[in-house]
Amino acid sequence: MSTIRDVARLANVSVATVSRVLNGSSKVSQKSKDAVLQAQKELGFYLNANARALAQRDSHTIGVVVSQISDPYFGEAVQACDDSIHELGYNLLVGQGYHNAEREKRAIDDLISYQCRGLIVHALALSEKELMAYMDTIPYMVMINRVLPGYESRCINCDNYLGECLAVEELIAHGHTKIAYINSSHTIEDTTERLQGYCDTLEKHGIKYDPSLVFNGSPSLEGGSDAAAQLLAHHQPIKDFTAVACYSDVMAAGLMATLHQNKLRIPEDISITGFDNLFLSTCLIPTLTTVNNPVRQMAEEALHRSLSLYEGKPIEAPHRADVHLVRRDSVTAPKE
Amino acid sequence: MSTIRDVARLANVSVATVSRVLNGSSKVSQKSKDAVLQAQKELGFYLNANARALAQRDSHTIGVVVSQISDPYFGEAVQACDDSIHELGYNLLVGQGYHNAEREKRAIDDLISYQCRGLIVHALALSEKELMAYMDTIPYMVMINRVLPGYESRCINCDNYLGECLAVEELIAHGHTKIAYINSSHTIEDTTERLQGYCDTLEKHGIKYDPSLVFNGSPSLEGGSDAAAQLLAHHQPIKDFTAVACYSDVMAAGLMATLHQNKLRIPEDISITGFDNLFLSTCLIPTLTTVNNPVRQMAEEALHRSLSLYEGKPIEAPHRADVHLVRRDSVTAPKE
DNA sequence: TTGAAAGCGCTAACAC
DNA sequence: GTGTTAGCGCTTTCAA
């Protein structure tokens, strides 16, 4: 690896000049510029980002931690973040928490030591207390999909409660009264809010909440399948429910696979709703009726807040993203 | 941000001692250790990863560039890489090329300047010439899904030709003779090899290759839908083909969505095969018959080669991962 | 077991 | 316009 000094020597200029040319800064004579560029090419030279970060006290880097990058939801979320991040001239660093407190901690710690200029974290396993400690030491840290009391303006999420109400309303509007619910086993705000939306909407229509129709799984495809398997196992033959509302599109996809394996037709036998409106939900057959979760908008909001915080700018009011129902083909009227 | 000096001062030891404690290295008295840890906690101190990388001439970091992290194929690939990377105690840096030469270049350049200790790149837009130039300047760079002549042992891919042969054989074995093909519009090796497998297998069974049954799209869900739309538009009513082999699972998913929109049933009206065996292919309805692409194994292989290369170790023989057919529900005999 | 000090590769005053 | 040089925060000899 050659250094800036090698380039300077070869180009017959000082290191300062090399730095100027390579950073496109201030006035440099065309002659020096050419010499430097030529020398750079000859040596295959790259500025050392670590050294730059150190000297500039700026890593040009934004950290994002999610559960798992291969999960479609987080794939889209990270994508959304990265797009905004690059637009602003920064680079993205991703950490993965794997639904696991230890790993979440490590992911956050790593990003902090990389001196990220912004930090957006999704954590579902760490306790409120631990997260609050982070929020206190890292003033520019922002959370997504989770709200910490006292830190509301640094927590970005969507209206989970309303979203789930809309989904269940849609099922009821089609005539369903026996509605099961597939839930995430991580009980953080979004989970409890969505479940609450489910319960309240049933109640509002005079339908009694039946806990034996609610099953949990990890918020993943596998988790959706698992929960679905439990649901079917506990209700044979299928007559206790005609529809299933799901915590997320991903879990809904898992549910659909399991229903299909069990020769149940969607929506003829069972209607389904998801949550998130991932691209995935348009690929499923039938396409999934779901609640739009504006990840992209939330990513932008989170990024801007984190950046502002880093610069010590005043904090705005809390942000709660709007949701709306997206009607597709997975909901129809119950049979008979 | 406090520095190691602040910690040293507060703990009443030298910076060297702080460094020793925080790196778990060599002999330090329990007393110093306690003092340092206490001071660290008090200050909320984190070692600066950039400074460490500089001092140690080791960033502890591996770079991976893919097309797009939200793409299910790359989601799984990055995941596989990250798992191996963490096992070895490194950290992952991801770059995205977005099917675009300029972006691919930038992603690679960024990772190089971060001083990655290993570099795994998937690039489909950059020319062979440009990539070879990179391979020459970065001796530890390894490519996936692409083979550069003269650099075979630094290029990891799977047996694309055989894989596509297996898929088409499967269709023919079910009685199909009119088989369309949906292809990626990026003509790199995997694309041409799979197409060749398709052609040769047809020919082997005495079926004439018909170019009017082959359509391109970008290797994405949207691309699959687009290509499918073209295919349908050019063959109305549908009587020129009874099956479609696809370049990838992701494109197959796009195709399935389009067929479904057009009221075509799978597999009753049209049989389909994919390529990759993503988790996605088990979620589609019907589940997709496809070719297993051992991404995880390839990721490990790529990582180990890159690391060896970095350490100047000898290069092994070329690696071409095995493939096999995975039978599911998207293929059946043609009608009538 | 500990500390002093010389770098790591770069940027950014500052002086010319 | 250009060069000199003092750091950035850390690790790692080398001596003590």
Side-chain angles (χ1 to χ4, degrees):
Chain A
M1 280 285 92
S2 46
T3 78
I4 200 173
R5 230 172 288 277
D6 302 321
V7 179
R9 202 173 302 129
L10 188 58
N12 243 302
V13 297
S14 71
V15 292
T17 298
V18 177
S19 175
R20 287 186 189 109
V21 173
L22 266 25
N23 286 295
S25 77
S26 63
K27 278 93 184 53
V28 187
S29 69
Q30 190 60 43
K31 197 178 148 215
S32 309
K33 198 179 287 180
D34 293 343
V36 168
L37 261 18
Q38 171 59 28
Q40 176 193 28
K41 182 167 287 177
E42 239 166 79
L43 294 170
F45 173 75
Y46 287 86
L47 282 173
N48 181 322
N50 297 123
R52 300 187 74 196
L54 198 57
Q56 299 185 131
R57 280 165 222 77
D58 183 353
S59 65
H60 303 287
T61 243
I62 309 284
V64 175
V65 0
V66 296
S67 286
Q68 189 154 2
I69 221 170
S70 60
D71 177 295
Y73 174 75
F74 293 110
E76 290 195 14
V78 169
Q79 188 70 57
C81 289
D82 192 38
D83 291 347
S84 305
I85 286 170
H86 270 93
E87 227 162 76
L88 296 173
Y90 295 103
N91 277 314
L92 167 72
L93 248 41
V94 215
Q96 301 188 79
Y98 296 100
H99 305 149
N100 166 335
E102 210 45 62
R103 303 285 231 116
E104 286 179 352
K105 201 169 175 42
R106 178 165 149 201
I108 299 176
D109 288 344
D110 280 353
L111 293 178
I112 294 173
S113 34
Y114 275 110
Q115 311 295 110
C116 290
R117 259 183 116 302
L119 187 54
I120 301 175
V121 357
H122 164 96
L124 42 67
L126 281 172
S127 69
E128 280 204 348
K129 199 178 145 198
E130 290 170 297
L131 286 170
M132 286 175 174
Y134 274 119
M135 292 295 255
D136 289 337
T137 45
I138 313 297
Y140 51 90
M141 170 167 151
V142 161
M143 302 228 33
I144 45 174
N145 299 336
R146 188 145 175 186
V147 180
L148 301 174
Y151 300 81
E152 286 79 2
S153 62
R154 290 164 64 192
C155 298
I156 311 293
N157 70 352
C158 71
D159 197 334
N160 292 294
Y161 178 79
L162 174 61
E164 198 53 50
C165 290
L166 295 174
V168 177
E169 284 285 0
E170 175 74 0
L171 292 170
I172 294 175
H174 277 79
H176 294 276
T177 55
K178 299 185 284 186
I179 302 173
Y181 188 68
I182 282 196
N183 199 12
S184 159
S185 50
H186 290 276
T187 37
I188 58 173
E189 295 70 37
D190 58 358
T191 312
T192 52
E193 288 177 11
R194 291 180 197 178
L195 181 61
Q196 197 61 51
Y198 162 77
C199 295
D200 289 1
T201 306
L202 291 182
E203 192 166 334
K204 179 178 155 199
H205 290 272
I207 303 170
K208 193 163 173 303
Y209 165 64
D210 176 359
S212 83
L213 285 176
V214 177
F215 288 87
N216 294 329
S218 80
S220 61
L221 275 161
E222 294 87 335
S225 299
D226 292 351
Q230 290 178 56
L231 175 63
L232 295 181
H234 284 78
H235 297 276
Q236 278 302 351
I238 313 297
K239 52 173 182 36
D240 303 334
F241 62 95
T242 59
V244 186
C246 297
Y247 165 78
S248 69
D249 287 356
V250 170
M251 292 192 86
L255 163 71
M256 287 170 73
T258 297
L259 293 182
H260 190 253
Q261 277 161 31
N262 285 272
K263 310 284 179 219
L264 291 162
R265 292 163 309 162
I266 307 160
E268 293 80 358
D269 300 323
I270 308 280
S271 287
I272 294 183
T273 60
F275 199 115
D276 285 338
N277 192 25
L278 301 184
F279 198 87
L280 171 70
S281 62
T282 66
C283 297
L284 297 169
I285 298 177
T287 55
L288 188 64
T289 289
T290 187
V291 177
N292 186 62
N293 187 348
V295 246
R296 190 155 288 274
Q297 183 194 316
M298 284 167 60
E300 275 170 30
E301 190 63 38
L303 180 58
H304 288 121
R305 283 184 190 231
S306 186
L307 257 21
S308 295
L309 251 13
Y310 190 94
E311 291 160 7
K313 287 193 198 150
I315 328 163
E316 305 117 89
H319 179 90
R320 170 156 276 224
D322 285 334
V323 297
H324 61 264
L325 188 73
V326 179
R327 289 194 179 80
R328 297 215 183 84
D329 303 327
S330 63
V331 176
T332 191
K335 283 182 297 189
E336 95 239 87
Chain B
M1 282 284 92
S2 45
T3 76
I4 200 173
R5 229 171 288 277
D6 301 321
V7 179
R9 202 173 302 129
L10 187 59
N12 243 301
V13 296
S14 71
V15 292
T17 299
V18 178
S19 175
R20 288 185 188 110
V21 173
L22 265 26
N23 287 295
S25 78
S26 65
K27 278 94 185 51
V28 187
S29 69
Q30 190 59 44
K31 196 179 150 212
S32 307
K33 200 180 286 184
D34 293 344
V36 168
L37 260 17
Q38 171 59 30
Q40 177 193 27
K41 183 167 285 177
E42 237 166 82
L43 293 171
F45 173 74
Y46 287 85
L47 283 173
N48 181 322
N50 297 123
R52 298 187 77 197
L54 198 57
Q56 300 187 128
R57 281 165 221 79
D58 183 353
S59 64
H60 303 285
T61 242
I62 308 283
V64 175
V65 0
V66 297
S67 287
Q68 190 154 1
I69 220 168
S70 59
D71 177 296
Y73 174 75
F74 294 110
E76 292 197 12
V78 169
Q79 188 71 58
C81 289
D82 192 38
D83 291 347
S84 306
I85 286 170
H86 270 92
E87 228 163 75
L88 295 174
Y90 295 103
N91 277 315
L92 167 72
L93 249 40
V94 216
Q96 301 188 81
Y98 296 99
H99 304 150
N100 166 335
E102 210 44 62
R103 300 287 231 115
E104 287 180 351
K105 200 168 176 43
R106 178 165 149 201
I108 299 176
D109 288 344
D110 281 352
L111 293 179
I112 294 174
S113 36
Y114 275 110
Q115 311 296 109
C116 290
R117 258 183 117 303
L119 188 53
I120 300 175
V121 356
H122 164 95
L124 43 66
L126 281 172
S127 68
E128 282 205 345
K129 198 176 145 199
E130 291 170 297
L131 287 170
M132 286 175 175
Y134 274 119
M135 291 294 254
D136 289 337
T137 44
I138 313 298
Y140 52 89
M141 170 169 152
V142 161
M143 304 227 35
I144 45 173
N145 299 336
R146 187 146 177 187
V147 180
L148 300 175
Y151 301 80
E152 285 81 2
S153 63
R154 290 164 65 191
C155 297
I156 311 293
N157 71 352
C158 71
D159 197 334
N160 292 294
Y161 178 79
L162 174 62
E164 198 53 50
C165 288
L166 295 174
V168 177
E169 285 285 1
E170 174 75 359
L171 292 170
I172 293 175
H174 277 79
H176 293 276
T177 55
K178 297 184 285 185
I179 303 173
Y181 188 69
I182 282 196
N183 199 13
S184 159
S185 49
H186 290 276
T187 37
I188 58 173
E189 295 71 35
D190 58 358
T191 312
T192 52
E193 289 176 12
R194 292 181 196 178
L195 182 61
Q196 195 63 49
Y198 162 77
C199 295
D200 289 0
T201 306
L202 292 183
E203 191 166 336
K204 177 179 157 201
H205 290 272
I207 303 169
K208 192 161 174 308
Y209 164 65
D210 176 0
S212 84
L213 286 176
V214 177
F215 288 88
N216 294 329
S218 80
S220 62
L221 274 160
E222 295 86 335
S225 299
D226 291 349
Q230 290 176 55
L231 174 63
L232 295 181
H234 285 76
H235 297 275
Q236 276 306 346
I238 313 296
K239 52 172 181 38
D240 303 333
F241 62 94
T242 59
V244 186
C246 297
Y247 164 79
S248 71
D249 287 356
V250 170
M251 292 192 86
L255 163 71
M256 286 171 73
T258 297
L259 293 183
H260 190 252
Q261 276 162 30
N262 284 271
K263 309 285 180 222
L264 291 162
R265 292 164 308 161
I266 306 161
E268 294 80 359
D269 298 324
I270 307 279
S271 287
I272 293 182
T273 61
F275 200 116
D276 284 340
N277 192 25
L278 301 183
F279 199 89
L280 171 70
S281 62
T282 67
C283 297
L284 297 170
I285 298 178
T287 55
L288 188 64
T289 289
T290 187
V291 176
N292 186 63
N293 187 347
V295 244
R296 192 157 286 273
Q297 181 194 317
M298 284 166 59
E300 276 170 30
E301 189 62 38
L303 180 57
H304 288 121
R305 284 184 188 230
S306 187
L307 256 23
S308 296
L309 252 11
Y310 190 93
E311 290 160 6
K313 288 194 198 149
I315 328 162
E316 304 118 89
H319 180 89
R320 171 156 276 224
D322 285 334
V323 297
H324 61 264
L325 188 73
V326 178
R327 289 193 178 81
R328 298 214 184 83
D329 303 328
S330 63
V331 175
T332 191
K335 281 183 298 189
E336 93 238 270

